[in-house]
Amino acid sequence: MTPVDRPRPLSASDDVLGVALVVPRQGPAGIFGPACELCARLAADEVNAAGGVLGRELRLVTVDGGAPPRLVADEVAALVAAGIVRGVTGWHISSVRQALAPRIARRVPYVYTALYEGGEDTAGVYLTSETPEGQLRPAMRLLAAERRVRRWYVVGNDYIWPRRTARAAHAYARESGGRICGESYLPLGTEDFAAALRGVERQAADAVLMLLVGSDAVRFNRAFAAAGLDGACLRLSTLMDENMLLASGPDATRGLSATAGFFGALATADTLDFHGRWAARFGLGAPAPSALGESCYEGVLLLAALLNRAGSWSVPAIEGAVGEVAWEGARGLLRLTGRHARQRIYLAEADGLDFAVTADLDGWSGPPERP
């Protein structure tokens, strides 16, 4: 972080309120870091145009969430201790959240925007994105019913989000008369997927559940297609965006589906309005906002709504007001249930370098029916 990025500490008379934006600038997730930053900037501009936060200008202080988790936590905690930021938001992997939340969450509000494994309930942590129960479970049910998927093979990175999500996936597969027939977990930054691909082929999987981050998923898509597996085996990802499709290439996306609360291809009034403001602000050459980047737009809006509703950045004050908070973004009008946002989730199929939304998954979240 350069001195020009860092606002001075706040005092009672200051007209600026600093917010740490923790997004990846390196590592596998760095592929969608630019979209995260631009989406957060758009939200901050709109918040400020509407009067700011607590009567002050909201100013983002970017922290590289792709650095080792302990270093990210150290940097953000130092910003909080110095009074430079009064809130934290952004997309970063669960290992970073687990390192960061105990350090700052009860001192300032922390809005976490990444899809994750579920279960976070630390006071002062608020979550805008998808969890397996609402995102993965209905998608697996639909693919079992409509595509006859019974045998799932998990390929994921080796950390908490993939492993806990896969644990839930075992139950979801059984609900629809299927099972997880194999699992491979690989370090972040993996380039060799040969062993995982052999496992998929050996187990005669109907579908691969991809729990890979960013450029790891891109390389897996290419290797999967090069091995000829895309002709017989589907892929489902809960972390796949338009930027990753573009990087994978059109020959590597056949049979690939993704599930999320936002896709660029959605044609709702809210998403169309968002895309219009995005293009007007950043131009047609900007990276696709995508579900991952757009989550940071929602995160800034929620953080502003929490502070303005509570009239304070104090976590106890916000906890007392959280049940009354609502905000409207590209995903429509959202509210918190507990500390989690409730939202519609969609299934989309890759169509070359873009997604085609094929289902609203709300109808697939009820009691399962055996095939």
Side-chain angles (χ1 to χ4, degrees), residues 40-341:
R41 190 189 308 170
L42 178 61
D45 289 347
E46 293 177 358
V47 167
N48 289 331
V53 179
L54 303 178
R56 305 179 183 196
E57 175 192 352
L58 187 156
R59 185 180 298 172
L60 299 174
V61 182
T62 303
V63 174
D64 181 6
R70 182 183 59 79
L71 297 183
V72 178
D74 286 347
E75 181 171 359
V76 176
L79 291 171
V80 171
I84 291 170
V85 301
R86 301 297 190 184
V88 178
T89 189
W91 196 107
H92 36 276
I93 66 173
S94 288
S95 299
V96 173
R97 186 193 78 253
Q98 287 190 314
L100 180 55
R103 301 282 299 277
I104 57 95
R106 289 182 172 83
R107 299 161 63 192
V108 296
Y110 174 18
V111 175
Y112 184 65
T113 78
L115 63 101
Y116 86 114
E117 65 281 354
E120 177 63 69
D121 63 357
T122 304
V125 180
Y126 310 96
L127 305 108
T128 68
S129 277
E130 305 89 342
T131 57
E133 175 69 18
Q135 181 187 21
L136 178 59
R137 181 176 183 238
M140 291 179 67
R141 284 170 45 82
L142 185 150
L143 290 176
E146 296 192 349
R147 306 293 290 272
R148 307 297 295 175
V149 173
R150 296 292 179 269
R151 296 174 61 81
W152 291 88
Y153 194 103
V154 176
V155 180
N157 288 121
D158 191 7
Y159 72 101
I160 181 175
W161 164 64
R163 285 191 173 274
R164 288 198 180 173
T165 300
R167 189 184 309 167
H170 277 269
Y172 304 155
R174 288 194 298 269
E175 286 179 351
S176 299
R179 68 186 183 92
I180 305 296
C181 62
E183 299 174 68
S184 295
Y185 296 97
L186 306 162
L188 288 162
T190 291
E191 297 189 4
D192 183 359
F193 295 95
L197 295 173
R198 285 195 298 271
V200 172
E201 189 169 23
R202 186 167 52 248
Q203 293 296 332
D206 299 317
V208 170
L209 173 57
M210 291 176 57
L211 301 173
L212 296 164
V213 176
S215 57
D216 285 17
V218 168
R219 287 189 290 269
F220 180 79
N221 281 337
R222 294 173 182 168
F224 190 86
L229 292 172
D230 56 338
C233 184
L234 301 176
R235 281 163 288 168
L236 173 66
S237 174
T238 59
L239 199 169
M240 180 66 58
D241 76 348
E242 292 85 351
N243 297 301
M244 292 159 68
L245 286 186
L246 183 64
S248 298
D251 295 332
T253 61
R254 181 172 61 154
L256 171 63
S257 295
T259 174
F262 176 92
F263 289 98
L266 280 170
T268 67
D270 294 300
T271 57
L272 292 172
D273 186 50
F274 172 76
H275 284 301
R277 298 196 308 276
W278 173 270
R281 177 68 174 83
F282 301 116
L284 298 178
S290 80
L292 310 176
E294 192 279 332
S295 74
C296 292
Y297 178 84
E298 303 289 343
V300 171
L301 294 186
L302 173 55
L303 183 59
L306 289 167
L307 295 172
N308 282 330
R309 184 69 185 180
S312 171
W313 56 70
S314 159
V315 169
I318 292 170
E319 288 283 290
V322 70
E324 303 168 355
V325 171
W327 75 102
E328 190 162 7
R331 305 186 188 206
L333 180 64
L334 300 181
R335 298 181 183 277
L336 295 177
T337 299
R339 298 186 178 95
H340 287 73

